[in-house]
Amino acid sequence: MSKTAIKISVIGAGFVGSTTAYTLMAKGIASEIVLFDRKIERAEGEVMDIEHGSPFTAETLVRAAGNYDETKDSDIVIITAGAKQEPGETRLNMATKNAEIMRSIVSEVAPRSPQAILLIVTNPVDVMAYVAREVSGFPKSRVIGSGTNLDSARLRFTLSKKFGDIDSRDVHAYILGEHGDSEFPAWSLANIGGQNIDAAAAQFHVDLSESVKSELGDSIKNAAYEIINRKGATYYGIAMSVARICEAILRDERSIIPLSVLLNGEYGIDDVYLSVPVIVGEHGIEKILTPHLTDDEMGKLHNSANVLKEARAGLN
């Protein structure tokens, strides 16, 4: 963005929201960060803790807020508020209780920041992004779900380990579809060092048979559940994922990131948010990419779309 003063508001000072605010501040990509929570004391405590690290980072104003007026004229509004996902609970189980929360929040923040990009993190993120766009009336390019960006990072990290601890930044792979139980790895798009994943596996002498691929896909899909079972919540990975998305927007990087976006005919899918590769820049979603998928992968993408449409219909 050409603006020199960048304001980001984070709605919800729970584990995800506060860790996101901390990560944004540590990266120094905004001049002002507002951490909003109805429980103002919680937001104030988190901000006090974060701002004590300010001598070690670029200068950033971090403020706590309990009034939506404090979010006015934000460039990006990140919404993390919602009911906590309990052990054994699927993301889609949370749809009904979080939809009302999302409607309430968006009806407050959208009029105060009419030019903002809404970045939805609250789960189930695909359904919540649809609700946020419906309430805000914003163009689809400016209502984005964090989607499978983190899931894809988990896949890239896991593959980097399997391929002998190579740099995970040199592993390119996507998880597509729902951010949830119907998500899937698009193996046909995965590559390492310019080689498709199967050719790379042969060169590295790595077993990447169909059964191994299936196990890897399941491990990525279940990663959040495993973390929640052990420590009660996930927040570091998603905070870094959200900060990365904000970087791409604010620096107009035109980066290709798998995010939850509204499809209107792409892949033969209409009127549903789910994750596919997109170009991200200062205006939000600059372009939805449609790389060739195998018939099996296309079937899985359509299955995700149907799952999400059913979940959304349940809200009505």
Side-chain angles (χ1 to χ4, degrees):
M1 284 186 175
S2 55
K3 290 177 60 177
T4 54
I6 299 296
K7 179 177 180 178
I8 299 178
S9 290
V10 181
I11 311 300
F15 283 128
V16 174
S18 57
T19 309
T20 296
Y22 161 77
T23 307
L24 291 169
M25 189 257 210
K27 282 180 168 285
I29 60 176
S31 48
E32 180 179 0
I33 300 168
V34 175
L35 182 59
F36 172 94
D37 201 280
R38 291 181 305 166
K39 298 178 180 177
I40 183 64
E41 295 84 1
R42 172 66 187 265
E44 288 172 341
E46 296 291 356
V47 167
M48 288 173 66
D49 197 6
I50 292 169
E51 64 186 358
H52 288 166
S54 61
F56 311 120
T57 67
E59 185 176 353
T60 305
L61 173 63
V62 186
R63 296 192 293 113
N67 186 316
Y68 281 108
D69 287 340
E70 298 294 318
T71 69
K72 190 174 186 294
D73 296 328
S74 294
D75 295 287
I76 300 176
V77 177
I78 302 168
I79 302 178
T80 70
K84 179 184 176 184
Q85 185 176 359
E86 300 296 338
E89 184 178 30
T90 69
R91 296 181 181 99
L92 285 181
N93 288 156
M94 305 164 69
T96 301
K97 54 188 174 183
N98 279 344
E100 284 307 312
I101 296 172
M102 184 61 59
R103 291 187 182 105
S104 172
I105 292 170
V106 174
S107 66
E108 296 284 357
V109 299
R112 290 172 169 84
S113 300
Q115 300 306 313
I117 291 171
L118 299 182
L119 178 50
I120 311 303
V121 184
T122 304
N123 278 319
V125 67
D126 307 289
V127 179
M128 294 303 104
Y130 191 97
V131 171
R133 181 174 179 271
E134 225 174 17
V135 175
S136 68
F138 285 9
K140 67 177 186 177
S141 60
R142 291 198 285 118
V143 183
I144 308 167
S146 54
T148 59
N149 188 35
L150 175 57
D151 306 87
S152 299
R154 288 169 173 154
L155 177 60
R156 294 168 62 198
F157 169 78
T158 302
L159 287 172
S160 75
K161 293 299 180 186
K162 193 166 187 62
F163 278 75
D165 285 320
I166 60 174
D167 191 337
S168 59
R169 293 172 297 183
D170 294 320
V171 178
H172 303 283
Y174 298 117
I175 298 287
L176 302 183
E178 174 198 0
H179 173 54
D181 292 345
S182 68
E183 68 182 33
F184 65 95
W187 292 112
S188 67
L189 305 181
N191 70 87
I192 295 176
Q195 292 183 307
N196 71 59
I197 197 71
D198 294 319
Q203 185 174 26
F204 280 76
H205 305 292
V206 170
D207 178 9
L208 209 61
S209 61
E210 291 305 311
S211 62
V212 171
K213 287 179 180 177
S214 179
E215 290 173 6
L216 284 172
D218 287 342
S219 72
I220 302 305
K221 179 174 64 179
N222 295 322
Y225 299 137
E226 294 295 329
I227 295 169
I228 290 168
N229 286 338
R230 286 166 171 78
K231 58 176 276 189
T234 68
Y235 39 93
Y236 295 128
I238 187 60
M240 288 187 280
S241 168
V242 171
R244 174 70 193 101
I245 298 165
C246 290
E247 278 183 322
I249 293 169
L250 297 173
R251 295 173 180 169
D252 194 21
E253 292 181 359
R254 295 181 59 80
S255 299
I256 298 174
I257 302 176
L259 296 176
S260 185
V261 294
L262 182 65
L263 298 187
N264 287 132
E266 297 88 355
Y267 301 93
I269 296 171
D270 191 53
D271 197 36
V272 65
Y273 267 82
L274 49 68
S275 286
V276 294
V278 297
I279 297 176
V280 185
E282 65 176 335
H283 302 297
I285 303 303
E286 306 279 354
K287 186 178 180 62
I288 296 174
L289 302 182
T290 54
H292 176 75
L293 300 178
T294 66
D295 290 344
D296 180 62
E297 290 165 348
M298 189 66 82
K300 290 177 179 177
L301 192 66
H302 278 254
N303 176 60
S304 259
N306 291 333
V307 166
L308 290 166
K309 284 183 178 179
E310 287 178 16
R312 196 178 75 221
L315 297 182
N316 297 332

